[in-house]
Amino acid sequence: MSEAGKYIECCEHGKQQATYVCQHTVLSLSDGVARGFWSAEPEVGDERPDSWCSACEEMVNKTGGEWNDESEEFAGVKLICGACYDRAKQLNIVSRKKWWQLWK
Ligand SMILES: [Zn+2]
Ligand SMILES: [Zn+2]
């Protein structure tokens, strides 16, 4: 693996940046249902931080705002390509607010 980051081969988008999202976000990509899109604020060099859905966010809040075994199992984090990640993000933009500003 190079320092430039990990890549995966997406059957739809070809070679792309590897990103991590919860299994529910992956589900949204196939059924088109927005389930919320949460992540740390994107930064230069990390434009696609790990993301999870509202159900996972709720789960984490319930357990004191920290990820634990239970919430991680619930999230069932999956590896998806950067283009799929962007599509999931797009799907969840419901207001003029930038999606990462929903993070508080
Ligand atoms: Zn989730
Ligand atoms: Zn893809």
Side-chain angles (χ1 to χ4, degrees), residues 22-25 52-53 55-56 74-75:
C22 77
Q23 59 180 339
H24 316 104
T25 299
W52 55 93
C53 76
C56 288
F74 179 73

Side-chain angles (χ1 to χ4, degrees), residues 14-80:
K15 193 182 176 191
Q16 294 284 340
Q17 182 194 355
T19 58
Y20 294 92
V21 301
C22 77
Q23 59 180 339
H24 316 104
T25 299
V26 175
L27 197 60
S28 294
L29 281 170
S30 54
D31 66 11
V33 176
R35 289 176 170 79
F37 195 91
W38 298 76
S39 77
E41 194 168 326
E43 298 170 5
V44 175
D46 188 18
E47 283 90 358
R48 291 165 176 147
D50 301 353
S51 164
W52 55 93
C53 76
S54 297
C56 288
E57 173 65 15
E58 225 170 85
M59 189 81 165
V60 171
N61 284 338
K62 231 186 279 177
T63 54
E66 296 284 342
W67 288 91
N68 62 15
D69 290 351
E70 199 191 347
S71 49
E72 273 176 17
E73 199 192 318
F74 179 73
V77 172
K78 301 261 191 275
L79 196 63
I80 64 167

